[in-house]
């Protein structure tokens, strides 16, 4: 790069009229001045107006066909276009050739001095007088050197000693060192003494049968117990020479030569010190320990459950096309609503002012007012829904909002949100006005967010990366969690950007749950893994638990107690203590405390959903055996 620039500068200065008379000085001196030098008459040479930025320079490079032959003269500040002759000259100089095209470097040389002895000399100049007398200057230099040697300033060279020099590597070794060479010497292990199998007349039990001999021959040499076949001879004179004698001696020499022997200091470590010290489960109470109640009534597997914000009511959805409302304390079925299809997901509105339940049925999400609890709240919920006024200009939406009428209204149904595809999951925002749904399809509208007060729906993503499994709202901040098969993406709804991408290290994510504080997340998968993420720490799992033997179907956090639970197809619910400290330097404490069993496995399915009570340390679980169980 530097050689090419220097060559172009020489060509430009040689072939162009150099008007700048500043000389060979750094042109950076004129960087902050309006002129760039002086001409022959002493007048200032002003800089040309160069207002090209990098974009214009790039466009000029792409569009100008003569850009490659244009050079910038630093002394005049102008762009000079080289002619074809100048380009040829530059190419010849870069290749190391002569600048003149007509110069012949291989022309015949003129031999001024011949190898033949001539009669007349080339020059007949007489010799000088100084060639006959000693030089006074050399005499003075020699006298100075002699004086320096006499004074000892110049030492004569010592004769070279060619005898080899040896060094003792352990000369400075501490004799009291623990790892000293004299203490580290380990004698070579001796060969084992021959046994009965190596005798020339071994006992019959050491001789191999025909099957054992064939099996010994088929084994690899390193897998054989004996490196030879025991044989019997009548006398010692009949024993032939050992064919592997030289080979075994050579291997023995290699072992002695190549295998290092060193005495290693053994570290005495108590095995109990290597096990992490976890608190005892009885010190971590309260947590659910026994099965207290069974809610029976469904005829098919119960896929989803949800608890009211007060903790008094429980709602369940089943494949028998019914939604049942239960009283938690008594186990009584207070109400049953029959829908058009199997209920895939259900969610109770977390806002205690609105008594609403959202259920996913085929391609629709139905909002149900159960009419339980305070009648004023139920009537206020109906007024909130009926008080909607449609806008003057209808906005095109991906769904259709329809109000229930007649028998549907009397049974508790209030709104139908009909989608174009089957709905898999529904989840509410913490304030209760927004709720999100998941459509299990590979299209771009896999996630939709609905607003209840304005009856508006929108698709927050232009393109979904992967097949969406679950979605979740952050409990306190405007974050939105989207779980695909292998990743969990965290989006900021206000800034409309991706905040984090969590690597689950799982084959297929089945469920997610967020800690009430919002900084930790657990993720269950179909390959029997439960991953705990500390989002302030890393995008990789802080800890991976493999307590279940089969696929995990649901995970859940308690809202007030440091508990989380996971349900699996092995029919068990494992409750763990998960304490998150306010000190950011202290890692979360995760301790499994109880395995709850009770569900029967039906069609290779066990526990399908897990939900904690909002105020008590109780856990609800629904299973494929058409029951709901309460553990307290």
């Amino acid at each position: 790069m530097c050689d090419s620039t220097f060559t172009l500068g020489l060509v430009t200065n040689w072939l162009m009229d150099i008007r700048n008379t500043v000389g060979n000085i750094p042109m950076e001196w004129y960087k902050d001045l309006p002129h760039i030098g002086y001409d022959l008459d002493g007048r200032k040479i002003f800089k040309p107006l160069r207002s090209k930025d990098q974009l214009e320079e790039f466009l000029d490079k792409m569009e100008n066909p003569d850009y490659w032959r244009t050079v910038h003269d630093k002394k005049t500040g102008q762009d000079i276009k080289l002619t074809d002759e100048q380009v040829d000259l530059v190419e010849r100089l870069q290749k190391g050739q002569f600048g003149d095209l007509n110069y012949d470097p291989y022309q015949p040389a003129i031999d001024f001095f011949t190898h033949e002895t001539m009669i007349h000399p080339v020059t007949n100049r007489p010799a000088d007088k100084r060639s006959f007398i000693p030089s006074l200057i050399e005499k003075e230099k020699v006298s100075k050197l002699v004086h320096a040697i006499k004074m000892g300033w110049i030492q004569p060279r010592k004769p070279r000693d060619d005898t080899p020099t040896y060094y003792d590597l352990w000369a400075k070794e501490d004799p009291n060192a623990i790892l000293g060479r004299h203490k580290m010497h380990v004698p070579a292990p001796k060969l084992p003494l021959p046994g009965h199998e190596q005798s020339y007349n071994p006992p019959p039990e050491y001789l191999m049968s025909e099957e054992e001999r064939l099996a010994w021959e088929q084994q690899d040499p390193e897998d054989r117990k004996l490196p030879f076949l025991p044989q019997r001879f009548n006398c010692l004179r009949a024993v032939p020479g050992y064919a592997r004698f030289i080979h075994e001696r050579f291997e023995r020499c290699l072992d002695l030569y190549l295998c290092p022997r060193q005495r290693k200091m053994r570290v005495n470590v108590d095995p109990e010190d290597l096990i992490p010290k976890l608190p005892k489960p009885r010190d971590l109470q309260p947590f659910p320990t026994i099965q207290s109640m069974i809610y029976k009534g469904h005829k098919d597997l119960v896929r989803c459950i949800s608890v009211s914000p007060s903790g008094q009511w429980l709602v369940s959805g089943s494949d028998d096309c019914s939604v049942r409302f239960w009283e938690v304390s008594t186990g009584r079925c207070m109400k049953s609503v029959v829908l058009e299809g199997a209920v895939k997901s259900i969610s109770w509105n977390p806002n205690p002012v609105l008594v609403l339940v959202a259920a996913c049925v085929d391609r629709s999400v139905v909002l149900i007012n159960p009419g339980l609890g305070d009648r004023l709240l139920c009537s206020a919920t109906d007024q909130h829904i009926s008080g909607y006024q449609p806008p003057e200009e209808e906005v095109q939406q991906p769904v259709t909002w329809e109000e229930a009428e007649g028998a549907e209204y009397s049974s508790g149904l209030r709104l139908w949100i009909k989608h174009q595809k089957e709905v898999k999951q529904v989840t509410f925002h913490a304030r209760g006005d927004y709720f999100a749904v998941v459509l299990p399809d590979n299209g771009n509208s896999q996630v939709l967010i609905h607003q209840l007060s304005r009856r508006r729906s929108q698709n927050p993503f232009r393109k979904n990366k992967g097949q969406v499994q679950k979605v979740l709202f952050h409990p306190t901040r405007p974050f939105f969690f989207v779980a695909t098969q292998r990743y969990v993406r965290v989006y900021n709804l206000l800034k409309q950007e991706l905040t984090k991408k969590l690597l689950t290290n799982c084959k297929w994510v089945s469920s997610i749950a967020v800690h009430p504080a919002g900084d930790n997340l657990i993720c269950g998968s179909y390959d029997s893994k439960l991953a705990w993420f500390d989002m302030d720490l890393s995008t990789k799992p802080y800890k991976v638990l493999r307590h279940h033997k089969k696929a995990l179907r649901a995970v859940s956090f308690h809202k007030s107690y440091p508990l989380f639970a996971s349900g699996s197809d092995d029919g068990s619910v494992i409750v763990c203590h998960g304490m998150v400290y306010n000190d950011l330097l202290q890692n979360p404490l995760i301790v499994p405390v109880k395995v709850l069993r009770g569900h029967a496995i039906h069609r290779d399915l066990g526990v399908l959903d897990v939900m904690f009570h909002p105020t008590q340390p109780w856990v609800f679980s629904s299973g494929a055996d058409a029951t709901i169980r309460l553990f307290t």
Side-chain angles (χ1 to χ4, degrees):
M1 184 70 181
C2 297
D3 296 340
S4 304
T5 307
F6 178 69
T7 306
L8 292 174
L10 288 177
V11 173
T12 306
N13 296 337
W14 178 50
L15 298 176
M16 300 292 295
D17 181 19
I18 300 177
R19 298 180 294 108
N20 201 341
T21 59
V22 294
N24 188 14
I25 63 170
M27 300 309 295
E28 287 79 5
W29 294 355
Y30 290 92
K31 180 174 63 176
D32 298 332
L33 299 176
H35 61 285
I36 201 170
Y38 303 91
D39 57 5
L40 296 175
D41 297 333
R43 293 189 297 268
K44 293 182 179 179
I45 301 177
F46 292 94
K47 296 179 182 178
L49 297 176
R50 295 180 58 86
S51 60
K52 286 186 178 181
D53 53 3
Q54 293 183 355
L55 180 59
E56 293 179 352
E57 187 73 18
F58 176 75
L59 294 176
D60 191 16
K61 180 179 180 180
M62 294 293 104
E63 297 175 357
N64 188 6
D66 296 329
Y67 181 82
W68 63 276
R69 63 166 64 195
T70 304
V71 296
H72 177 67
D73 189 3
K74 293 184 178 181
K75 287 196 173 183
T76 59
Q78 296 179 355
D79 293 336
I80 301 173
K81 178 181 175 182
L82 301 180
T83 60
D84 294 340
E85 293 80 5
Q86 296 171 352
V87 173
D88 294 340
L89 175 60
V90 171
E91 291 179 354
R92 287 197 302 271
L93 293 178
Q94 288 179 342
K95 293 179 181 180
Q97 300 176 357
F98 292 96
D100 189 2
L101 183 61
N102 299 322
Y103 178 75
D104 185 12
Y106 305 104
Q107 60 184 350
I110 300 175
D111 192 4
F112 293 98
F113 300 94
T114 62
H115 61 281
E116 299 177 358
T117 304
M118 306 299 291
I119 300 176
H120 301 283
V122 178
T123 60
N124 199 13
R125 182 173 175 272
D128 295 333
K129 181 181 179 180
R130 62 175 176 268
S131 60
F132 299 100
I133 60 177
S135 175
L136 297 177
I137 298 176
E138 293 179 358
K139 179 181 178 182
E140 185 179 357
K141 289 183 178 181
V142 171
S143 62
K144 289 182 179 181
L145 292 175
V146 171
H147 178 66
I149 292 174
K150 289 180 180 180
M151 297 298 294
W153 300 338
I154 299 178
Q155 298 290 339
R157 293 182 180 179
K158 296 181 180 180
R160 185 176 180 181
D161 188 8
D162 295 334
T163 58
T165 305
Y166 302 100
Y167 302 94
D168 187 2
L169 295 178
W170 294 276
K172 298 181 179 180
E173 184 179 6
D174 187 7
N176 298 323
I178 299 178
L179 300 178
R181 183 171 61 92
H182 59 285
K183 294 185 179 181
M184 295 302 294
H185 173 67
V186 180
K190 296 181 180 180
L191 290 175
L193 297 175
H196 294 296
E197 66 275 0
Q198 295 180 346
S199 174
Y200 73 96
N201 189 11
E205 59 267 17
Y206 287 96
L207 296 177
M208 293 185 181
S209 62
E210 189 65 23
E211 293 80 5
E212 292 175 348
R213 186 182 62 82
L214 292 175
W216 182 87
E217 292 177 352
Q218 292 177 359
Q219 287 180 343
D220 295 332
E222 59 269 8
D223 296 336
R224 295 171 181 170
K225 293 183 179 180
L226 295 176
F228 60 92
L229 284 172
Q231 297 180 5
R232 172 179 289 180
F233 300 94
N234 295 330
C235 60
L236 191 59
R237 290 176 297 177
V239 178
Y242 186 42
R244 289 179 50 84
F245 176 76
I246 298 178
H247 184 73
E248 288 187 356
R249 294 298 95 190
F250 178 70
E251 288 185 348
R252 173 66 175 173
C253 293
L254 288 182
D255 292 341
L256 297 175
Y257 168 59
L258 295 178
C259 297
R261 297 179 300 278
Q262 184 179 10
R263 193 184 307 274
K264 293 186 178 180
M265 301 300 294
R266 184 177 180 180
V267 181
N268 295 324
V269 179
D270 189 2
E272 296 182 356
D273 295 340
L274 300 177
I275 302 175
K277 295 181 180 180
L278 299 176
K280 296 181 180 180
R282 65 168 178 261
D283 299 334
L284 303 176
Q285 291 180 349
F287 54 84
T289 55
I290 60 173
Q291 177 179 304
S292 299
M293 194 170 296
I294 302 177
Y295 304 87
K296 295 182 179 179
H298 287 288
K299 299 179 181 179
D300 205 344
L301 53 88
V302 184
R303 290 192 177 272
C304 49
I305 55 176
S306 184
V307 188
S308 64
S310 62
Q312 183 180 2
W313 313 105
L314 173 70
V315 61
S316 61
S318 173
D319 279 4
D320 59 1
C321 307
S322 67
V323 174
R324 291 179 179 267
F325 296 89
W326 314 82
E327 189 176 8
V328 172
S329 58
T330 61
R332 177 186 174 189
C333 182
M334 305 298 295
K335 189 174 185 179
S336 178
V337 179
V338 179
L339 300 176
E340 299 175 354
V343 181
K344 302 296 182 181
S345 177
I346 201 165
S347 179
W348 202 300
N349 195 319
N351 190 353
V353 179
L354 298 176
V355 185
L356 276 179
V357 174
C360 298
V361 182
D362 292 337
R363 297 189 176 185
S364 303
V365 175
V366 58
L367 297 180
I368 305 172
N369 185 350
L372 302 175
D374 192 351
R375 294 183 180 179
L376 294 178
L377 293 179
C378 296
S379 59
T381 302
D382 292 338
Q383 293 177 3
H384 178 74
I385 295 176
S386 60
Y388 167 73
Q389 294 182 358
E392 297 179 358
E393 296 181 2
E394 294 186 0
V395 181
Q396 186 177 1
Q397 299 189 82
V399 298
T400 304
W401 294 71
E402 297 180 1
E403 294 186 359
E405 298 177 353
E408 292 182 349
Y409 188 88
S410 60
S411 63
L413 276 64
R414 293 296 179 262
L415 282 176
W416 287 90
I417 301 101
K418 297 186 177 181
H419 302 71
Q420 299 178 358
K421 300 173 185 177
E422 186 178 357
V423 184
K424 178 182 178 182
Q425 184 212 355
V426 59
T427 178
F428 272 99
H429 188 265
R431 296 184 179 179
D433 192 25
Y434 291 90
F435 60 96
V437 297
V438 176
L439 311 177
D441 190 28
N442 293 327
N444 294 330
S445 59
Q446 296 187 46
V447 180
L448 295 178
I449 296 180
H450 307 301
Q451 186 177 6
L452 178 61
S453 59
R454 297 185 181 181
R455 297 189 186 180
R456 294 176 57 184
S457 304
Q458 60 178 343
N459 183 4
F461 308 111
R462 296 181 180 177
K463 185 178 180 181
N464 295 105
K465 298 180 180 179
Q467 188 174 0
V468 179
Q469 303 297 318
K470 294 286 183 179
V471 295
L472 206 61
F473 287 99
H474 194 279
T476 56
R477 303 176 65 183
F479 287 160
F480 191 59
F481 299 88
V482 179
T484 57
Q485 290 186 4
R486 292 179 179 269
Y487 305 100
V488 177
R489 293 177 171 86
V490 185
Y491 295 93
N492 191 325
L493 296 178
L494 290 181
K495 297 182 180 180
Q496 298 182 0
E497 64 181 8
L498 177 64
T499 304
K500 285 184 181 180
K501 181 180 178 182
L502 306 179
L503 310 177
T504 61
N505 295 335
C506 302
K507 294 182 180 179
W508 198 304
V509 175
S510 62
S511 54
I512 57 174
V514 184
H515 191 270
D519 294 333
N520 294 268
L521 178 138
I522 55 175
C523 173
S525 66
Y526 291 115
D527 53 351
S528 308
K529 294 180 182 178
L530 188 144
W532 177 292
F533 289 92
D534 189 347
M535 291 184 288
D536 293 336
L537 180 65
S538 173
T539 58
K540 295 182 180 179
Y542 162 67
K543 188 168 289 189
V544 178
L545 307 179
R546 296 178 178 86
H547 298 152
H548 291 282
K549 297 180 180 179
K550 292 186 178 180
L552 271 74
R553 294 286 176 177
V555 292
S556 177
F557 268 111
H558 200 286
K559 291 185 178 180
S560 55
Y561 289 93
L563 298 173
F564 68 93
S566 59
S568 171
D569 281 342
D570 57 5
S572 65
V573 176
I574 296 181
V575 181
C576 300
H577 177 88
M579 173 61 76
V580 178
Y581 299 96
N582 294 328
D583 186 7
L584 298 179
L585 299 178
Q586 191 171 1
N587 294 327
L589 176 63
I590 302 174
V591 182
V593 291
K594 190 64 178 178
V595 179
L596 304 174
R597 303 183 187 276
H599 286 280
I601 299 177
H602 180 64
R603 291 184 291 183
D604 293 334
L605 298 176
V607 180
L608 299 180
D609 199 2
V610 172
M611 183 69 65
F612 274 102
H613 193 277
T615 57
Q616 299 294 332
W618 302 345
V619 63
F620 301 91
S621 64
S622 65
D625 55 355
T627 62
I628 305 167
R629 298 174 188 266
L630 169 62
F631 298 92
T632 60

